[in-house]
DNA sequence: CCAGCGCCTTGACTTAAGTCAAAAAAGCGT
DNA sequence: ACGCTTTTTTGACTTAAGTCAAGGCGCTGG
């Protein structure tokens, strides 16, 4: 297991903080170990702090009345989540659940707000994190409202290719069902579109590995294209 | 014209600041007067500050490759916009244009960041503003991915009813075409759904005034319903 | 008062994507 | 390797919502 101080100093939120500041941060953090599938909080729950993923994977999601689930984010090591109600209102706006056995760090609200008030650079980091998140949401909304599913999938593949630093092949780190939910669709539709993309030699699916046969074609599709 | 200091102290972003702090804020703000239809910035433009609407109305929107426009927000007096790139990256993630003759206050990036570093309460206010915005985006994404258009429209009407503090009638302050874009659809579809809602005695449209004949029915529809 | 111009509505048609049901494939623990 | 569960794929069908095109309504200005 990685040292907690190491995890903290690696998180973007605490980037560039001094040794002393990092120690302060460590002082107020509380460890939380969760099995796979554990619900961390539900939409509407009262919030008295936020979390950082030290190890494992967490999904943030909304559920419709009929029980349909839409995944908003999947977070891994170093990512914070649940910070919104720390600064605005008291309730969580979505649900959080572990996808794997996970190690989380919990930061109690009041202690963290105190810390921020005393450390301008921590405040600026937090502003940066929230702003990045707003930027991502803007893209997500654009995708949902302006593109159809093939375009969203292509965007995601291009994003993965950048994320994983490869132009030849990418690996899904979530199930296709979860990917469907993340793209705002259902497994059947995703499956059909993957088949179509195969037929048009854009990709070649090998389980969770997807060979990118025509990256620029995918970029095109992500930007504005239609699949025939 | 309202005094600028008054406008500033009324904005949520500067809530609870001292006289002195408000003066500091005023010091760095720059007035900008725009006619109706003026583009303030475009997606991808370099950003060196953000704005607050002192008077008028501004739309924030994305445009798809085919030229289809999706409105993300419409902001009025007291609302800040364009803050994201101040804290994350350099570029604006969307476009901004005035809907009316407007008076804006511009806050240059570096001066504002300096100010925040010295005023923890301003930093916390800003964190609050960004967090509220994330909360709104979460709702928007939920609406787009989990509800069909009638549900989104019902949500919007219920929201307007709360906003305007009336349960009997609400007034649209934007055109129906713009509303369609805000709901992620097109004018034709919106029009048809309004007609259906009329037929089912949920509402009664009188131009831009909409009589709410069955608010609880609308709430129901917003929550989980389908229109027959 | 009427012409002209946006804005909104209506109709006929097309299409993307969801539903339901079942089969096939892939994982997983023993 | 086996039987079980879960995930993924495929097929037939339905439906919400988009496109295209035409018409109506309600302004404002001459």
């Amino acid at each position: 297991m990685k040292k907690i101080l190491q995890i903290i100093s690696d998180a973007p939120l605490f980037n560039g903080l001094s040794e002393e500041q990092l120690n302060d941060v460590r002082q107020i953090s509380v460890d939380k170990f969760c099995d796979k599938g554990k619900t961390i909080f539900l939409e509407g729950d009262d919030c008295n702090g936020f979390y950082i993923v030290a190890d494992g994977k967490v999904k943030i999601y909304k559920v419709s009345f009929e029980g349909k689930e839409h995944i908003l984010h999947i977070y891994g090591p170093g990512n914070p989540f649940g910070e919104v109600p720390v600064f605005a209102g008291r309730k969580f706006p979505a649900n959080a659940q572990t996808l794997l056995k996970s190690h989380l760090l919990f930061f109690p609200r009041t202690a963290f707000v105190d810390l921020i008030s005393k450390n301008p650079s921590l405040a600026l980091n937090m502003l940066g994190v929230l702003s990045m998140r707003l930027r991502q949401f803007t893209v997500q909304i654009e995708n949902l409202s302006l593109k159809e599913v093939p375009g969203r999938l292509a965007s995601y593949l291009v994003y993965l290719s950048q994320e994983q630093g490869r132009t030849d092949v990418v690996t899904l780190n979530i199930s296709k069902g979860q990917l469907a939910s993340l793209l705002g669709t259902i497994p059947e539709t995703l499956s059909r579109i993957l088949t179509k993309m195969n037929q048009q030699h854009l990709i070649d699916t090998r389980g969770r590995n997807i060979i990118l046969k025509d990256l620029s074609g995918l970029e095109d599709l992500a930007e504005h294209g239609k699949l025939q």
Side-chain angles (χ1 to χ4, degrees), chain A:
Chain A
M1 192 180 97
K2 265 166 111 187
K3 287 284 253 310
I4 291 172
L5 213 52
Q6 183 63 42
I7 295 163
I8 289 176
S9 74
D10 281 354
L13 178 54
F14 304 119
N15 222 309
L17 296 198
S18 71
E19 193 82 9
E20 197 194 328
Q21 289 172 313
L22 287 173
N23 267 315
D24 288 349
V25 169
R26 172 64 189 113
Q27 286 300 316
I28 64 166
S29 75
V30 181
D31 289 283
K32 193 164 175 184
F33 296 90
C34 301
D35 285 336
K36 172 176 170 177
K38 171 88 165 45
T39 294
I40 305 160
F41 54 75
L42 293 175
E43 179 173 352
D45 279 359
D46 274 326
C47 148
N48 41 23
F50 74 100
Y51 301 82
I52 287 186
V53 181
D55 193 47
K57 209 182 312 187
V58 171
K59 75 172 170 192
I60 311 295
Y61 63 104
K62 284 255 180 188
V63 180
S64 76
F65 180 77
E66 302 94 20
K68 216 166 54 177
E69 168 180 317
H70 178 83
I71 297 178
L72 296 171
H73 305 283
I74 293 188
Y75 290 128
N79 297 132
F81 64 94
E83 341 75 310
V84 167
V86 170
F87 305 107
R90 301 277 96 78
K91 318 267 187 180
F92 289 108
N95 312 284
Q97 193 180 81
T98 51
L99 291 175
L100 300 174
K101 198 166 181 298
S102 300
H103 173 196
L104 309 176
L105 299 178
F106 177 74
F107 294 87
R109 190 173 181 279
T110 49
F112 190 76
V113 169
D114 277 0
L115 210 56
I116 268 196
S117 306
K118 293 183 201 112
N119 294 280
S121 56
L122 179 54
L124 285 172
N125 276 359
M126 191 47 130
L127 284 167
V129 166
L130 294 183
S131 296
M132 283 300 293
R133 203 146 286 183
L134 277 168
R135 187 181 284 275
Q136 287 164 15
F137 268 135
T138 305
V139 173
Q140 258 187 44
I141 290 180
E142 176 181 23
N143 282 343
L144 282 174
S145 61
L146 260 26
K147 293 183 196 162
E148 22 202 68
V149 184
R152 291 180 231 158
L153 174 56
S155 293
Y156 187 78
L157 292 176
V158 171
Y159 157 79
L160 274 188
S161 145
Q162 290 163 355
E163 192 77 351
Q164 301 178 7
R166 321 202 35 162
T167 58
D168 54 341
V169 62
V170 295
T171 304
L172 299 181
N173 47 2
I174 50 176
S175 77
K176 287 183 183 156
Q178 285 164 351
L179 175 57
S181 169
L182 198 55
L183 296 176
T185 186
I186 54 171
E188 291 96 317
T189 299
L190 177 61
S191 176
R192 286 185 240 270
I193 290 168
L194 283 170
T195 306
K196 258 194 194 164
M197 284 185 171
N198 269 298
Q199 284 163 0
Q200 300 189 216
H201 309 291
L202 285 164
I203 58 173
D204 199 345
T205 51
R206 297 259 184 278
R208 285 200 182 178
N209 295 317
I210 297 182
I211 299 165
L212 308 175
K213 296 178 77 174
D214 181 2
L215 185 54
S216 68
L218 286 171
E219 282 163 347
D220 218 53
L221 188 59
E223 194 56 35
H224 52 265
K226 298 216 180 284
L227 211 53
Q228 317 307 349

